[in-house]
Amino acid sequence: MCAFAAQAQFAIEGGINMANMAIKANGDKLSTKFKNGAAIGCLLDMPLGDHVYFQSGALYEMMGCKISQDPIKGEYALNTIGIPLNLIYKTGEKCTNRLFIGVGLHLGYNLSGSYSISGGGQYIDTSITLKFGSGEALKKVDVGMGVNFGYMLTRRFYFKLRYHFSMANLNKSENKDNSLRTSAIGLNIGFLFGRCRAGNYAEGFYLREGTH
């Protein structure tokens, strides 16, 4: 395990975040649309074998959705730190071009947010600051699942399509007729730092070394 940890690489990545939410209000499912934003953060890529890797990190994500429920229009805007905990399978040999696919838990830590609404008589041009955590109506921590698929280039760059969705209701109310659940589709570009060591082990030494 120590030998594998020595091969771990660090990455920075960023890209487009297309967020949405599944919302129920008094038992009615609201019509929502994607809200475009950005995502940027860092990642740890640690091999557990020649093809299996563990990845985790922290990614700032602009989450939320747009609401289009005639005559009401509105928007949720959330600022969230996403923490993926993924097992990744990579094809091919180390330090070469590789396809990869992964799945795992996705945790979200909600920093701040807002909700705006217009139309519908009494709700004209209303804007509310959302608060999370102890003593507030919304949960600070979100729990879900995530999947990703991508392509890694030899010289450190990679491209990744990712999707994650919430399994938890952000609304603290136990009433199932009122719920908020997040999801997002993202397209990221990343860059890996650190040396890529290829080959098998022989008496504690690497047989071959290369760079992404």
Side-chain angles (χ1 to χ4, degrees):
M1 180 60 72
C2 291
F4 285 132
Q7 292 191 81
Q9 291 182 279
F10 173 80
I12 56 171
E13 64 176 59
I16 300 170
N17 212 52
M18 296 174 287
N20 207 338
M21 299 177 74
I23 303 174
K24 270 188 180 181
N26 298 320
D28 295 326
K29 185 176 180 180
L30 300 186
S31 175
T32 63
K33 296 180 180 180
F34 285 106
K35 178 181 179 296
N36 295 331
I40 187 169
C42 57
L43 187 75
L44 176 70
D45 186 50
M46 186 175 76
L48 302 178
D50 290 337
H51 297 282
V52 180
Y53 288 69
F54 171 73
Q55 286 186 355
S56 185
L59 196 70
Y60 167 73
E61 296 182 80
M62 299 173 68
M63 300 290 290
C65 70
K66 293 183 178 180
I67 299 172
S68 181
Q69 188 87 12
D70 290 336
I72 297 171
K73 293 186 182 298
E75 180 178 283
Y76 274 93
L78 309 179
N79 297 303
T80 302
I81 299 296
I83 303 171
L85 300 168
N86 290 328
L87 282 178
I88 307 291
Y89 180 83
K90 299 182 182 181
T91 64
E93 299 295 328
K94 293 180 182 179
C95 308
T96 64
N97 295 355
R98 310 178 82 178
L99 290 171
F100 63 88
I101 187 169
V103 63
L105 286 175
H106 186 277
L107 307 179
Y109 187 81
N110 296 305
L111 302 173
S112 62
S114 63
Y115 171 60
S116 59
I117 191 170
S118 62
Q122 61 179 339
Y123 297 111
I124 294 177
D125 297 331
T126 298
S127 181
I128 301 170
T129 298
L130 299 176
K131 296 182 179 180
F132 304 87
S134 179
E136 304 297 341
L138 300 177
K139 296 175 182 176
K140 194 82 170 175
V141 178
D142 198 0
V143 181
M145 295 290 294
V147 295
N148 60 76
F149 176 80
Y151 186 73
M152 182 175 293
L153 298 174
T154 301
R155 294 189 179 277
R156 302 181 183 273
F157 285 99
Y158 63 88
F159 304 88
K160 178 169 67 179
L161 180 66
R162 56 187 178 81
Y163 170 70
H164 63 82
F165 61 93
S166 173
M167 297 185 294
N169 182 3
L170 287 184
N171 193 329
K172 288 184 179 179
S173 171
E174 297 298 327
N175 184 353
K176 295 182 179 179
D177 289 336
N178 295 281
S179 62
L180 297 170
R181 288 182 169 85
T182 64
S183 63
I185 299 172
L187 180 62
N188 286 12
I189 299 174
F191 182 86
L192 282 163
F193 295 90
R195 178 175 292 180
C196 172
R197 295 175 173 86
N200 298 319
Y201 296 102
E203 299 180 355
F205 294 94
Y206 300 112
L207 296 180
R208 180 167 59 89
E209 291 190 348
T211 56
H212 274 303

